[in-house]
Amino acid sequence: MATSVSVETLNPKVLRCEYAVRGEIAIHAQHLLQQLERQPGSLPFDEVLFCNIGNPQSFGLKPITFFREVLALCDHPNLLDQEETKSLFSTDAITRAKKILARIPGRATGAYSHSQGIKGLRDEIAAGIASRDGFPANADDIFLTNGASPGVHMMMQLLIRNGRDGIMCPIPQYSLYSASIALHGGALVPYYLDESSGWGLEISELKRQLEDARSKGIAVRALVVSILEILLGRLVSMFSFVLKKDPVSKREIRCNSLRSEKELKKVYQENIYVTNKKFNSFKKIVRSMGYNGDDLRLVSFQSVSKGYYGECGKRGGYMEVTGFSTTVREQLYKIASVNLCSNITGQILSSLVMNPPKAGDASYDLYEAEKDSILESLARRAKAMAFAFNGIDGITCNKTEGAMYLFPRIHLPQKAIETASAVNKAPDVFYARRLLDTTGIVVTPGSGFGQVAGTWHLRFTILPPEEKIPSIISRFREFHEEFMAQYRD
């Protein structure tokens, strides 16, 4: 007799999985959007503003011309045989498209590729990594993926054996990690960043959480180091410090470093808005300290979805896997082969992002102008929004030094917390739902990313167009003041 399909009979790992960015608040926002389309004027706002997710082109960010020209020529190679193409496309885009197509069997961008991705494109990416870091990179270490997320899932599949295997993640964390850990049946081991010091990290916190996990019988399999929508540099510099200053042998360091299996997500490496900091990859740091693949098993992820290009819908990305044995890599390749391959457009775009136009190329000046304009605008938005939040009573917000988000803390009255509890909602979820229903502004509650107990936050993207930010802040301020007055203790 067939078992009926109901929530009660579903895989419990799926039921435990939560992905806050597209969770309850985002789902309700879609319903309100549909209501506005069916019944204009039926809500107290005339548009829904999705400030919950880093989706740059949905906010009007323009694609980088060179990237799109190359993609167009690769997807329609017949254009390369037409004389008028020379007047419509830049000469270096034409040259690059020909070079890429020559590396694709039959110039067939609609065909499957090698499960790790097209070899010639992996060569380009490896060359880009080597140029950026100043240390060699190998195309055989590159796995091209549909954005960074599938790579994270692949590593979780590889590492998590049962519920006693843990992955150590920064808190606040990107909910991809908690969701994928839950889906694969592992345990999330948190380490907390210090909000009062600009989301800094104390090494003592890492050690304390590691020891606590081990005391509970959890085998910590990997440490996640993430830009975390804040800024990578602080966390990387702090962790590299403990490696360099620890007076024990490399063998002991490997043990203390969670068996040296680390995951690093670096999708915001271009989005840095302070002049005294720059992106340094974890790989660059450890290689410069003298550690090689035998000392450290490191997996780094990159995506074309963020940065200054914001090509979320193209689903391009890769992971660089170093320090693993041949037999382990064979198992990772097996996982990749189950998925056949990532999409070819995303593969091409990943190679372009890691090897953009250089000085002297026909597209270079336009490329630099487009990139600088985007990054300078994002820096202004980050500064303006952080300043505005810090000017509202009951809100404190660290400056955004990089990436695409703010994580303001909402100091909620006890009465609001108790009211939320009475309707079985986390206080920041309760607040975010009221904010949405009143203003149409969509944010992600901080509880979806993890936060210190008793604190409440919102994740708020800085992507709205500059001209809209004053009105968004005005609507937010008005709601917040009314909310706080209603629930004042």
Side-chain angles (χ1 to χ4, degrees):
M1 182 176 179
T3 302
S4 62
V5 177
S6 65
V7 172
E8 292 73 23
T9 62
L10 295 179
N11 183 341
K13 296 174 186 177
V14 173
L15 299 181
R16 286 195 296 270
C17 172
E18 294 185 0
Y19 187 64
V21 175
R22 292 179 181 262
E24 172 189 342
I25 301 300
I27 292 170
H28 182 56
Q30 289 292 340
H31 294 157
L32 295 182
L33 182 63
Q34 292 169 10
Q35 181 177 336
L36 279 177
E37 291 171 350
R38 293 192 308 268
Q39 299 172 288
S42 62
L43 295 171
F45 45 85
D46 57 9
E47 65 176 333
V48 177
L49 293 166
F50 288 91
C51 298
N52 62 314
I53 192 167
N55 193 13
Q57 293 188 22
S58 72
F59 285 97
L61 181 141
K62 301 299 183 185
I64 297 296
T65 300
F66 175 79
F67 296 165
R68 286 300 185 92
E69 285 189 351
V70 175
L71 291 179
L73 292 167
C74 288
D75 270 342
H76 192 31
N78 289 345
L79 290 174
L80 294 168
D81 301 325
Q82 299 178 18
E83 188 64 29
E84 57 264 41
T85 297
K86 295 178 182 178
S87 63
L88 296 173
F89 293 83
S90 59
T91 56
D92 54 338
I94 293 172
T95 300
R96 185 73 69 92
K98 289 179 178 179
K99 181 180 178 181
I100 289 171
L101 288 169
R103 293 177 170 180
I104 301 175
R107 306 204 311 176
T109 57
Y112 289 134
S113 76
H114 185 281
S115 291
Q116 281 185 239
I118 295 165
K119 175 61 164 59
L121 300 182
R122 288 187 280 125
D123 286 332
E124 289 286 314
I125 291 169
I129 294 172
S131 175
R132 181 197 66 200
D133 293 343
F135 293 94
N138 189 329
D140 291 337
D141 294 335
I142 306 296
F143 287 74
L144 287 163
T145 52
N146 289 318
S149 298
V152 172
H153 280 288
M154 288 168 64
M155 292 309 303
M156 298 295 182
Q157 285 179 291
L158 189 74
L159 294 175
I160 295 174
R161 300 164 297 184
N162 54 54
R164 308 304 294 174
D165 279 345
I167 306 294
M168 206 167 186
C169 297
I171 299 296
Q173 54 97 30
Y174 179 43
S175 48
L176 164 67
Y177 295 109
S178 56
S180 57
I181 291 169
L183 276 175
H184 298 295
L188 188 151
V189 178
Y191 63 92
Y192 289 85
L193 305 182
D194 182 7
E195 185 171 8
S196 66
S197 64
W199 302 111
L201 171 67
E202 293 294 334
I203 298 305
S204 58
E205 167 67 7
L206 269 178
K207 292 181 176 179
R208 184 177 69 83
Q209 295 292 353
L210 175 58
E211 291 167 1
D212 181 64
R214 287 174 172 167
S215 72
K216 296 174 182 176
I218 295 174
V220 178
R221 303 281 285 161
L223 167 70
V224 172
V225 179
S226 175
I227 285 182
L228 192 63
E229 293 72 57
I230 302 167
L231 182 64
L232 175 70
R234 185 185 303 274
L235 186 54
V236 167
S237 62
M238 289 294 289
F239 196 76
S240 65
F241 177 81
V242 76
L243 286 174
K244 182 161 55 177
K245 295 297 184 181
D246 200 322
V248 298
S249 69
K250 285 186 179 182
R251 186 176 183 84
E252 291 172 314
I253 288 174
R254 289 177 67 181
C255 178
N256 289 340
S257 301
L258 320 183
R259 297 190 179 181
S260 302
E261 292 159 355
K262 297 181 181 66
E263 299 183 9
L264 172 65
K265 196 172 182 183
K266 57 190 180 182
V267 299
Y268 296 106
Q269 57 191 270
E270 298 282 352
N271 299 77
I272 298 176
Y273 310 133
V274 288
T275 57
N276 62 335
K277 295 183 181 180
K278 65 178 183 178
F279 172 83
N280 287 294
S281 75
F282 206 116
K283 180 185 173 186
K284 177 181 178 179
I285 290 172
V286 298
R287 294 291 185 267
S288 67
M289 292 164 55
Y291 295 95
N292 57 38
D294 293 332
D295 304 309
L296 192 75
R297 290 186 282 278
L298 178 66
V299 184
S300 301
F301 304 93
Q302 166 67 312
S303 168
V304 304
S305 297
K306 312 302 179 185
Y308 58 90
Y309 20 87
E311 295 276 14
C312 301
K314 298 299 183 184
R315 308 310 302 138
Y318 68 83
M319 61 179 179
E320 182 188 20
V321 180
T322 60
F324 289 86
S325 68
T326 300
T327 52
V328 171
R329 288 168 58 88
E330 287 172 352
Q331 298 305 308
L332 184 59
Y333 178 78
K334 180 169 65 177
I335 296 173
S337 65
V338 169
N339 297 315
L340 299 178
C341 71
S342 60
N343 80 88
I344 304 304
T345 296
Q347 292 190 32
I348 295 171
L349 190 51
S350 296
S351 75
L352 296 175
V353 164
M354 293 305 294
N355 283 281
K358 305 293 191 296
D361 292 347
S363 295
Y364 178 75
D365 289 343
L366 175 59
Y367 162 77
E368 283 290 306
E370 291 174 337
K371 181 181 74 170
D372 290 347
S373 175
I374 291 167
L375 292 175
E376 289 167 5
S377 176
L378 289 174
R380 290 192 298 269
R381 296 180 224 189
K383 182 178 180 179
M385 293 180 73
F387 179 82
F389 279 127
N390 282 315
I392 300 175
D393 288 341
I395 297 179
T396 54
C397 184
N398 280 316
K399 294 179 180 179
T400 298
E401 296 182 341
M404 295 179 174
Y405 310 94
L406 293 161
F407 202 62
R409 179 177 175 180
I410 313 297
H411 300 265
L412 295 174
Q414 186 60 32
K415 184 178 178 181
I417 295 171
E418 292 172 354
T419 302
S421 178
V423 295
N424 199 31
K425 298 287 185 187
D428 50 4
V429 175
F430 178 73
Y431 182 99
R433 176 66 180 258
R434 287 282 301 275
L435 173 67
L436 172 57
D437 287 336
T438 304
T439 67
I441 298 173
V442 190
V443 296
T444 305
S447 52
F449 301 93
Q451 52 200 346
V452 171
T455 67
W456 312 105
H457 299 78
L458 304 173
R459 190 180 80 157
F460 209 115
T461 182
I462 64 170
L463 290 173
E466 288 187 74
E467 65 273 12
K468 281 193 173 184
I469 288 177
S471 64
I472 292 172
I473 292 296
S474 177
R475 288 157 66 178
F476 180 89
R477 182 192 300 272
E478 182 180 355
F479 161 80
H480 177 78
E481 290 174 350
E482 292 177 357
F483 182 95
M484 297 296 277
Q486 179 181 354
Y487 292 103
R488 183 166 290 117
D489 296 330

